[in-house]
Amino acid sequence: GENVEQHPSTLSVQEGDSAVIKCTYSDSASNYFPWYKQELGKGPQLIIDIRSNVGEKKDQRIAVTLNKTAKHFSLHITETQPEDSAVYFCAASPPENTGNQFYFGTGTSLTVIP
Amino acid sequence: EAGVAQSPRYKIIEKRQSVAFWCNPISGHATLYWYQQILGQGPKLLIQFQNNGVVDDSQLPKDRFSAERLKGVDSTLKIQPAKLEDSAVYLCASSLGWGSYNEQFFGPGTRLTVL
């Protein structure tokens, strides 16, 4: 099955700086890559996603890039704010014929220092 | 729109006891998932339902875990008997469809502690 690795496991940045989280995946057939944010005591919430036919996607301060050849994708958060502090998970999803199963990375705990 | 509801939020049991978790997905969502999230790790899929049928339960420890989704709406996940290594957060998620690109919406989870 798919294997997703995520780095770093913890990340501290000053407010206003950028944060970058990187993930690699093993199954070249995976075609959907969502990113989830999980706050303490809550379930994960989708913040951005990208499909395999797109190289980059932006949504305000958040962007995701995908390199299919290298099988890695990254989350970029610019102008970080204290409310961005949370655990972030990347995931990869194989094609439709295997259902909508998500394989998650191990998470990155982001702390934004005011 | 109401989100995915789960209960209880917390449960503490002793090993070898049984426990059950309940999930109510978002109205109209055909696909329901149960994940196990061990502390410091990402969620791992246990079982996936499409309406009231099982799509994938390959990672469900069937000797002790069971799940059902009656009438294609609510779902229960049961552990019997529980082991220490079952301590985790159990997340329920739902999505509108079964195919790729369907966003999964997560509930708040049930934190299980097995003593």
Side-chain angles (χ1 to χ4, degrees):
Chain A
E2 175 65 275
N3 181 48
V4 178
E5 295 189 355
Q6 183 173 347
H7 300 281
S9 57
T10 60
L11 180 60
S12 293
V13 299
Q14 290 291 135
E15 181 177 358
D17 288 350
S18 296
V20 180
I21 302 171
K22 299 182 179 181
C23 289
T24 60
Y25 61 99
S26 61
D27 188 349
S28 58
S30 287
N31 61 359
Y32 178 59
F33 307 91
W35 284 89
Y36 280 81
K37 175 183 181 181
Q38 187 172 26
E39 297 177 333
L40 198 62
K42 297 183 179 180
Q45 182 176 15
L46 180 73
I47 56 171
I48 195 167
D49 56 12
I50 190 167
R51 301 185 183 188
S52 58
N53 59 347
V54 175
E56 183 176 3
K57 183 177 179 181
K58 289 183 179 180
D59 183 4
Q60 298 182 350
R61 297 186 296 110
I62 295 173
V64 56
T65 59
L66 171 65
N67 183 326
K68 287 177 56 180
T69 303
K71 289 188 285 187
H72 68 70
F73 56 113
S74 300
L75 176 72
H76 303 252
I77 306 174
T78 59
E79 301 173 17
T80 54
Q81 301 169 2
E83 52 265 39
D84 294 330
S85 296
V87 179
Y88 292 81
F89 292 96
C90 62
S93 181
E96 185 166 341
N97 62 355
T98 60
N100 193 31
Q101 181 168 166
F102 288 2
Y103 293 85
F104 285 88
T106 50
T108 296
S109 178
L110 173 65
T111 301
V112 179
I113 304 166
Chain B
E1 176 181 80
V4 176
Q6 290 188 247
S7 68
R9 291 297 312 277
Y10 306 92
K11 190 72 177 180
I12 301 174
I13 61 173
E14 294 188 350
K15 60 183 179 182
R16 292 187 288 273
Q17 287 187 324
S18 63
V19 64
F21 312 127
W22 172 82
C23 173
N24 179 238
I26 293 173
S27 178
H29 280 197
T31 310
L32 185 146
Y33 315 79
W34 282 103
Y35 287 88
Q36 180 191 58
Q37 185 176 23
I38 293 174
L39 187 65
Q41 298 182 19
K44 185 187 82 170
L45 181 70
L46 293 175
I47 189 168
Q48 177 181 347
F49 292 93
Q50 173 71 5
N51 296 311
N52 60 352
V54 175
V55 173
D56 183 354
D57 63 356
S58 57
Q59 299 185 81
L60 187 73
K62 299 181 186 64
D63 58 334
R64 298 184 300 105
F65 286 65
S66 64
E68 60 180 7
R69 189 182 184 196
L70 299 176
K71 300 180 181 179
V73 182
D74 292 3
S75 177
T76 56
L77 176 70
K78 296 179 182 179
I79 308 175
Q80 182 179 10
K83 293 185 175 181
L84 296 177
E85 57 261 36
D86 297 333
S87 294
V89 174
Y90 290 85
L91 294 164
C92 178
S94 68
S95 64
L96 191 60
W98 177 73
S100 296
Y101 316 135
N102 273 276
E103 179 181 352
Q104 293 186 22
F105 296 83
F106 285 82
T110 296
R111 180 176 296 278
L112 173 67
T113 301
V114 182
L115 303 176

